Amino acid sequence: MRLFDTYSRGLVELPPLPGPIRMYFCGPTVYQRIHIGNARPFVLSMWMKRWLEQSGYDVRLAENITDINDKIYRAAPGASAELAAAASRWYVEDTDLLGLGRPDHEPKATETIPEIVELIGKLVDGGLAYPAGGDVYFRVAAFPEYGRLSGREGDHKALHNPSEEAEREELKQDPRDFALWKAHKEGEDTVWESPWGPGRPGWHIECSAMAEKFLGPVFEIHGGGNDLVFPHHENELAQSRGAGSEFARIWMHNGMLELTGEKMSKSLGNIVPLRDAVEEWGRETILLFFLTAHWRKPIHLSDAVLAQARAQAETFRNYFVGLEHEPEEPERDELARVLDDDFNTPDALALFHDWRTRGRTASLLWGLALFGLGSLAEAASAPADLVALAEKRSKARASRDFDEADRLRGAIEEQGWEVRDVADGFELVPK
RNA sequence: GGCGCCGUGGCCGAGAGGUUAGGCAGAGGCCUGCAAAGCCUCGUACACCAGUUCGAAUCUGGUCGGCGCCUCCA
């Protein structure tokens, strides 16, 4: 399998079976319910995990939850820990709605403080970081590779990491330097001890620490939204390599989900909560919506596009209505051909339709289930009173009383079900 | 302004130097008591302008347009 890697800007081959494939994906900062755009890397990572495992790889996926952040302090003054804990639960709840399973590890920053402090200490000892005014900063000048990942190597202006406050900026030796540890400030209601004084970790260092803690000093894939390339991932890479770890070998950055021509983001306020979208459209529609676009491209959210995804869900669902099939081997190679080529899910979807029209039930069932869409094959059973109505309608039809038959069909439809006449009787399907 | 991604038929969206992608919507037909579902048929698209080539939507240059990052952000 090969994947497009941001660092080398080309396709990179995965190691041979059985791996291991160790993956780290950046999860959300938790201070409110996640939106559907936040779900994209989650969905991508779980699909990748499922496909790689299906392919025979030994996979380990870690996906962090950032529960220390300015946004959290600001959103819940005096109760940031409570908000972060609640929002972490919401995140798990909401992503569980997708039915894709969980990553192997979902570490939180607050549970990784000793490792973070240790990593910062290592960087300070190695001359790659320096304490200043209770903060600790990464010394970018000591890491020549800085800017390589984001393609802005040498451009000092583009590599500037501004401090939150002007007076903090003066503590830095170089505008590019960024905080690894931030001294405790008035109004922040969580604080941890460190050799440099009380405070809390910077954003980037937590990922470096968590990745190493759960995956080791080198791992195969690092993923996240492409809005994280700079500064977040650039800084992670600098910290971890600066501390002597090889770190990630392939960088997978997914495209943004856009609403009305703009990236959906919590700070812009143009958000559709994942939970609401799943409730309104159903989980299969949301998954199919993600499946229609290649992971690297931007994807536009609109009712029209969701309606198309829902129509596809119906098409698959209809295929399975009343279907019996012989167990047979899925045509794995056909799916591998498209997924092993940069995980081309739109091509996979085309293949599923091909399998559908050619009646390859076993393959279709297997392929859909891989992406969490196996439920499309599950027939809902109608309540007994509706079955009785449908039977009554069959009798009416048999005696050619079509007015009565149509009346009964209307009654069934009023209850949200549709009756279809088939060769040996009828089928009841939800509308 | 700098760095990067992208512009495909009504809509979504792969692909890729010469051969039907696929889906959704739409039209006609078959089937049906009528429907639904299903099946068959129908679209000759690749932003624009130059260039390379026997041949480009696919390569090169430019133009226009969209998006992301450069501030927290999946």
Side-chain angles (χ1 to χ4, degrees):
Chain A
M1 182 182 196
R2 50 188 198 156
L3 290 168
F4 187 89
D5 165 40
T6 306
Y7 189 87
S8 59
R9 295 182 203 298
L11 294 164
V12 173
E13 201 67 37
L14 247 50
L17 285 167
I21 303 293
R22 292 156 292 192
M23 302 197 284
Y24 185 89
F25 268 69
C26 280
T29 298
V30 283
Y31 59 98
Q32 58 185 47
R33 305 218 73 125
I34 64 157
H35 60 69
I36 182 169
N38 292 313
R40 199 172 189 192
F42 176 84
V43 170
L44 175 64
S45 66
M46 291 310 300
W47 280 348
M48 282 284 297
K49 173 175 155 68
R50 293 161 72 110
W51 171 242
L52 290 169
E53 283 172 348
Q54 180 64 238
S55 302
Y57 278 106
D58 173 22
V59 180
R60 197 187 315 164
L61 170 65
E63 205 151 330
N64 71 294
I65 294 175
T66 295
D67 60 350
I68 306 172
N69 184 281
D70 288 327
K71 294 255 167 161
I72 305 172
Y73 291 126
R74 242 173 280 144
S80 70
E82 289 78 3
L83 174 65
S88 300
R89 288 193 299 272
W90 297 339
Y91 166 66
V92 173
E93 254 171 55
D94 294 353
T95 46
D96 269 347
L97 295 176
L98 297 168
L100 294 173
R102 304 296 321 166
D104 301 294
H105 309 282
E106 294 183 271
K108 294 175 182 164
T110 51
E111 295 165 354
T112 321
I113 302 295
E115 290 83 356
I116 291 171
V117 169
E118 190 188 330
L119 178 56
I120 296 173
K122 209 165 165 184
L123 289 167
V124 171
D125 292 347
L128 279 118
Y130 57 92
D135 294 345
V136 180
Y137 292 95
F138 185 86
R139 196 190 317 271
V140 169
F143 188 73
E145 202 199 330
Y146 194 75
R148 180 89 179 276
L149 176 68
S150 57
R152 48 190 90 191
E153 220 172 352
D155 184 346
H156 281 227
K157 213 177 148 200
L159 291 172
H160 184 197
N161 277 297
S163 294
E164 286 145 28
E165 301 135 24
E167 56 269 30
R168 295 270 127 186
E169 191 68 23
E170 289 164 21
L171 298 171
K172 288 159 56 172
Q173 297 174 357
D174 183 326
R176 297 175 298 167
D177 293 351
F178 55 91
L180 303 175
W181 187 260
K182 298 180 175 186
H184 181 250
K185 283 197 283 279
E186 211 46 48
E188 295 180 355
D189 60 339
T190 52
V191 62
W192 291 268
E193 283 307 319
S194 85
W196 313 282
R200 50 141 174 152
W203 177 35
H204 319 296
I205 195 72
E206 57 180 70
C207 283
S208 285
M210 288 189 258
E212 173 136 11
K213 179 176 180 181
F214 292 98
L215 303 177
V218 57
F219 52 99
E220 285 65 36
I221 298 171
H222 189 132
N226 67 11
D227 54 348
L228 296 182
V229 177
F230 188 87
H232 188 51
H233 288 165
E234 193 73 69
N235 292 352
E236 280 183 41
L237 190 152
Q239 292 157 353
S240 292
R241 290 213 174 148
S245 300
E246 182 181 334
F247 210 51
R249 288 184 168 152
I250 297 175
W251 292 84
M252 260 183 116
H253 288 110
N254 62 269
M256 292 294 99
L257 185 144
E258 296 167 10
L259 187 66
T260 58
E262 274 178 320
K263 161 175 125 168
M264 180 177 293
S265 86
K266 288 182 261 192
S267 39
L268 289 172
N270 57 342
I271 64 166
V272 175
L274 173 64
R275 188 171 63 144
D276 295 357
V278 172
E279 196 175 307
E280 186 177 350
W281 294 88
R283 48 178 292 283
E284 292 100 340
T285 296
I286 301 304
L287 291 173
L288 245 359
F289 162 70
F290 281 123
L291 202 64
T292 56
H294 184 97
W295 59 273
R296 222 149 17 92
K297 291 208 170 182
I299 182 168
H300 297 264
L301 183 77
S302 69
D303 283 358
V305 164
L306 287 169
Q308 288 185 19
R310 186 170 58 190
Q312 296 205 52
E314 282 314 301
T315 301
F316 285 120
R317 206 174 258 127
N318 282 331
Y319 173 79
F320 291 105
V321 171
L323 184 77
E324 292 163 23
H325 73 281
E326 306 287 309
E328 47 190 289
E329 278 298 299
E331 292 147 294
R332 198 190 167 282
D333 291 352
E334 290 192 33
L335 187 59
R337 200 183 59 244
V338 295
L339 289 184
D340 285 347
D341 184 13
D342 203 22
F343 208 61
N344 193 331
T345 59
D347 246 359
L349 181 58
L351 177 62
F352 294 164
H353 281 292
D354 180 56
W355 278 342
R356 177 179 59 78
T357 37
R358 288 192 294 132
R360 304 307 172 95
T361 306
S363 295
L364 185 56
L365 220 42
W366 167 77
L368 289 173
L370 176 70
F371 288 97
L373 293 165
S375 53
L376 292 172
E378 289 161 14
S381 54
D385 55 324
L386 287 188
V387 175
L389 281 182
E391 277 163 358
K392 238 172 117 181
R393 177 173 168 275
S394 287
K395 289 199 184 94
R397 289 183 69 227
S399 53
R400 305 195 63 80
D401 182 356
F402 296 122
D403 287 344
E404 172 68 358
D406 290 347
R407 193 190 65 75
L408 287 164
R409 173 161 58 202
I412 290 167
E413 278 174 5
E414 269 169 36
Q415 307 220 36
W417 288 71
E418 179 182 295
V419 64
R420 294 177 186 167
D421 297 321
V422 294
D424 54 348
F426 61 84
E427 297 281 358
L428 279 166
V429 294
K431 282 198 86 160

